[in-house]
Amino acid sequence: AKEDVHRRIKVFEPVMLYRRQLRRQTARELRQAVSNGELFLEYQPVVELQSGRLQGVEALVRWNHPSRGLVMPDDFIPLAEETGLIVGIGRWVLHTALQQLAQWRRLLPADRKFLLRVNLAASELQSMDLVDFVRGSLRKTGAEPGELVLEITESALLSGGDVETYSLRSLQALGVGLEIDDFGTGYSSISYLHRLPVDTVKVDRSLISDMADDDGQLRFVAAVHNLIRAAGMDAVFEGIETAKQARQLQEMGCCCGQGYYFSRPLPAVQVTDLLREGRTL
Ligand code: C2E
Ligand code: CA
Ligand code: CA
Ligand code: CA
């Protein structure tokens, strides 16, 4: 057993070293990614479950790395959060997505509601001038505050520092929508769900993944939905992959959902086509 341990350490060290170097290099490259124009956005449709109409989209960032090719956010957002680079990236995402929203707005009838969801990392909420940036970006792009929804994870919402609380209150005062992201994964904030300063709840896909062939899980999801409704909020379900899941959620009376069953994240032009054609999903 002792030999095993030594052998493992010998293998482990170079790997650790390599990982650290890779991280450092990735951080250096990521610092340039925004100014080099290497980031781009895709938009995943969020669908009204009763009608199949587009309720809006969620903006999701991707990195077109010069040598590694397409890098997905799970492989660089955590590093961006640790290094503080997320603040610059997040602002690029927000402004770019709002510019796109303003273009889509021109295709839509004035009374048609269309929501843009943008993810916000915990450290972005800690930045003092977030609210000024959001306000400025809304003004420059001409987007309506009521068309923007910021998705924030439970842990970020619950950290509850002064700056965070100020930011959340000011964003709500602006008329921007706030949503809990990944609900059901982090701390379970069930006891104070109704006191969180949010309007909607995005239920994590892990909650619905077994629902189609597990009656217990189906009842549990229905209970979670009722709980969210009891707190006076609407639920959006993510990770809907099958027709059966979509039907079950529709039968529960759930408002909205997103997932590969309806659509993968799409380039902006494909969303434009969907809106032009007025298609349902
Ligand atoms: P998220 O906010 O929970 O976004 C949903 C993720 O689930 C997306 O992955 C989406 O492509 C994926 N997804 C959608 N439908 C399905 C489905 O039916 N099945 C499965 N298995 N997955 C589905 P993506 O684009 O790789 O993003 C991963 C995470 O990266 C996001 O999770 C979010 O936490 C983060 N992220 C993405 N863009 C941004 C951003 O602009 N800012 C920040 N702070 N975080 C971002
Ligand atoms: Ca999200
Ligand atoms: Ca999520
Ligand atoms: Ca997630």
Side-chain angles (χ1 to χ4, degrees):
K2 202 170 179 188
E3 227 168 79
D4 274 0
V5 169
H6 283 293
R7 203 171 292 146
R8 214 180 300 144
I9 287 172
K10 276 194 197 125
V11 180
F12 196 52
E13 274 178 343
V15 171
M16 289 280 285
L17 192 65
Y18 174 73
R19 281 220 186 108
R20 212 178 308 145
Q21 283 172 348
L22 185 68
R23 275 170 51 87
R24 226 177 274 148
Q25 190 191 333
T26 307
R28 254 195 318 270
E29 294 167 340
L30 192 53
R31 195 161 283 128
Q32 305 296 320
V34 173
S35 50
N36 289 352
E38 291 164 12
L39 299 182
F40 67 100
L41 296 180
E42 288 191 314
Y43 299 88
Q44 186 175 34
V46 176
V47 172
E48 290 173 3
L49 293 174
Q50 310 303 324
S51 65
R53 268 201 342 169
L54 240 67
Q55 189 221 27
V57 290
E58 175 177 4
L60 295 159
V61 69
R62 280 91 181 79
W63 182 9
N64 193 0
H65 188 282
S67 60
R68 283 157 68 197
L70 178 65
V71 185
M72 296 302 278
D74 283 336
D75 293 325
F76 67 92
I77 292 290
L79 183 65
E81 291 197 43
E82 287 163 41
T83 53
L85 293 169
I86 191 68
V87 175
I89 293 173
R91 285 177 190 197
W92 178 85
V93 169
L94 189 68
H95 193 68
T96 306
L98 283 173
Q99 282 177 321
Q100 184 59 62
L101 176 66
Q103 287 190 31
W104 287 328
R105 182 32 68 214
R106 279 182 229 123
L107 296 175
L108 295 167
D111 60 348
R112 166 76 191 275
K113 207 170 174 191
F114 188 78
L115 296 181
L116 171 71
R117 290 182 155 82
V118 174
N119 293 284
L120 210 64
S123 51
E124 292 182 76
L125 211 53
Q126 281 158 14
S127 127
M128 273 307 286
D129 53 353
L130 171 72
V131 180
D132 283 341
F133 183 83
V134 172
R135 194 186 289 115
S137 203
L138 286 166
R139 186 168 34 76
K140 282 182 212 148
T141 58
E144 292 292 325
E147 291 188 308
L148 176 64
V149 177
L150 297 174
E151 298 194 357
I152 308 164
T153 60
E154 277 177 82
S155 49
L157 277 169
L158 294 175
S159 59
D162 289 346
V163 180
E164 287 94 327
T165 307
Y166 162 81
S167 301
L168 292 171
R169 293 226 176 100
S170 313
L171 288 167
Q172 277 199 318
L174 260 183
V176 171
L178 300 178
E179 179 165 279
I180 306 181
D181 201 358
D182 299 345
F183 183 75
T185 54
Y187 308 78
S188 271
S189 47
I190 285 178
S191 57
Y192 37 85
L193 184 61
H194 63 288
R195 275 188 271 143
L196 288 177
V198 294
D199 315 288
T200 49
V201 177
K202 173 92 61 92
V203 180
D204 193 73
R205 71 162 175 273
S206 58
L207 254 80
I208 65 160
S209 59
D210 301 331
M211 185 177 68
D213 27 50
D214 180 344
D215 280 351
Q217 190 67 19
L218 179 63
R219 282 194 299 276
F220 182 71
V221 172
V224 169
H225 179 240
N226 287 335
L227 184 87
I228 293 168
R229 299 292 297 142
M233 298 187 255
D234 270 329
V236 180
F237 288 81
E238 71 178 356
I240 302 175
E241 293 181 345
T242 65
K244 189 166 178 191
Q245 288 173 320
R247 199 190 56 240
Q248 287 172 323
L249 292 169
Q250 190 193 359
E251 281 166 1
M252 270 175 219
C254 300
C255 145
C256 302
Q258 74 190 89
Y260 296 163
Y261 170 67
F262 295 111
S263 170
R264 300 223 161 216
L266 303 171
V269 287
Q270 288 190 35
V271 176
T272 306
D273 290 343
L274 285 177
L275 291 176
R276 277 224 181 88
E277 295 159 16
R279 271 183 35 213
T280 54
L281 288 171

